[in-house]
């Protein structure tokens, strides 16, 4: 009888340990979606961005936070041959899912959505490259599919764009994209703010 009571007490005391992975009471199940942080976007690559190292460093901090909390991490890479490897700063480890895409949106032509649904994910934290392309496309698609989205603005990077003889600086491309997403498709925050809320 004493053994049974002791066993029951141990089971009850163990329950909070499994609850630690939950960000907070009533908080949605969250996953990190890392988009296209690949070698070809870094110096020496085919499409070097502006300050990709700083963005990748911040993405690595977000990644470390998710790993420490035991929360799901999903890596997405674009299907390119030269420089197509995921950058070492956010390289996947065993148990982390990696999807390869050939379209701008990682939800187009992949099993990303099915995987997230299988995990019961309701909230996506997004980081990646390029801000105005695959990161933006993923955020808009995710919102339309019913996910709550958080974009870590300083964990994304882009490049100068030229159209009709006018060159738009990367900083302006980045800012205008985030401004469009913020409060409409996503909550946009910086790395320090996000980590401080965890």
């Amino acid at each position: 009888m004493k053994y049974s009571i002791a066993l029951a007490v141990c089971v009850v005391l163990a329950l909070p340990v499994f609850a630690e992975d939950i960000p907070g009471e009533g908080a949605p199940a969250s996953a990190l979606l890392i988009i296209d942080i690949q070698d070809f976007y870094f110096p020496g690559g085919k499409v070097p961005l502006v300050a990709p190292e700083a963005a990748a460093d911040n993405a690595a901090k977000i990644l470390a936070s998710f790993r420490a909390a035991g929360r799901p991490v999903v890596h997405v890479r674009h299907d390119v041959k030269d420089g197509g490897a995921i950058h070492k700063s956010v390289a996947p480890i065993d148990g982390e899912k990696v999807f390869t895409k050939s379209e701008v949106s990682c939800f187009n032509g992949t099993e990303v959505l099915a995987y997230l649904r299988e995990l019961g994910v309701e909230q996506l934290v997004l980081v990646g490259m390029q801000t105005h392309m695959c990161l933006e496309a993923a955020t808009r698609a995710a919102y339309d599919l019913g996910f709550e989205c958080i974009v870590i603005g300083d964990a994304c990077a882009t490049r100068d764009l030229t159209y009709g003889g006018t060159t738009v600086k990367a900083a302006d491309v980045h800012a205008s994209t985030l401004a469009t997403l913020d409060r409409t498709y996503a909550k946009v925050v910086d790395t320090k703010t996000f980590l401080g809320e965890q």
Side-chain angles (χ1 to χ4, degrees):
M1 181 67 176
K2 291 181 179 179
Y3 175 80
S4 299
I5 293 173
L7 180 60
V9 170
C10 290
V11 170
V12 171
L13 291 176
L15 290 177
V17 175
F18 295 99
E20 286 180 359
D21 288 347
I22 302 173
E25 185 177 354
S30 181
L32 175 62
L33 189 57
I34 305 176
I35 301 169
D36 296 0
I37 301 185
Q38 295 171 251
D39 290 345
F40 71 95
Y41 280 140
F42 287 77
K46 293 184 68 174
V47 189
L49 305 185
V50 173
E53 301 93 342
D57 286 347
N58 286 325
K61 294 174 184 176
I62 303 297
L63 174 58
S65 172
F66 270 75
R67 284 174 174 169
R71 293 154 72 185
V73 174
V74 178
H75 300 261
V76 175
R77 59 175 297 277
H78 202 76
D79 188 11
V80 295
K81 292 183 178 179
D82 296 335
I86 293 174
H87 193 262
K88 62 183 180 181
S89 59
V90 292
I93 60 176
D94 289 346
E96 293 178 350
K97 195 74 170 177
V98 180
F99 291 93
T100 299
K101 65 179 178 64
S102 57
E103 303 289 346
V104 176
S105 171
C106 63
F107 290 96
N108 188 359
T110 72
E111 296 299 317
V112 170
L113 177 59
Y115 182 69
L116 294 173
R117 295 288 195 226
E118 179 183 336
L119 295 179
V121 171
E122 300 173 18
Q123 181 189 81
L124 285 177
V125 177
L126 300 100
V127 301
M129 303 172 182
Q130 304 175 71
T131 314
H132 74 285
M133 286 287 288
C134 299
L135 184 282
E136 180 181 17
T139 305
R140 288 173 178 263
Y143 174 85
D144 288 341
L145 289 166
F147 293 97
E148 175 188 336
C149 297
I150 299 174
V151 172
I152 312 300
D154 60 358
C156 306
T158 190
R159 58 191 171 91
D160 295 355
L161 296 179
T162 300
Y163 178 77
T166 299
T167 297
V168 183
K169 290 296 184 180
D172 294 326
V173 175
H174 183 75
S176 64
T177 302
L178 296 180
T180 301
L181 294 175
D182 191 31
R183 295 179 294 177
T184 303
Y185 290 96
K187 175 183 178 182
V188 179
V189 298
D190 60 21
T191 299
K192 183 178 180 180
T193 299
F194 178 80
L195 294 177
E197 294 175 348
Q198 301 307 296

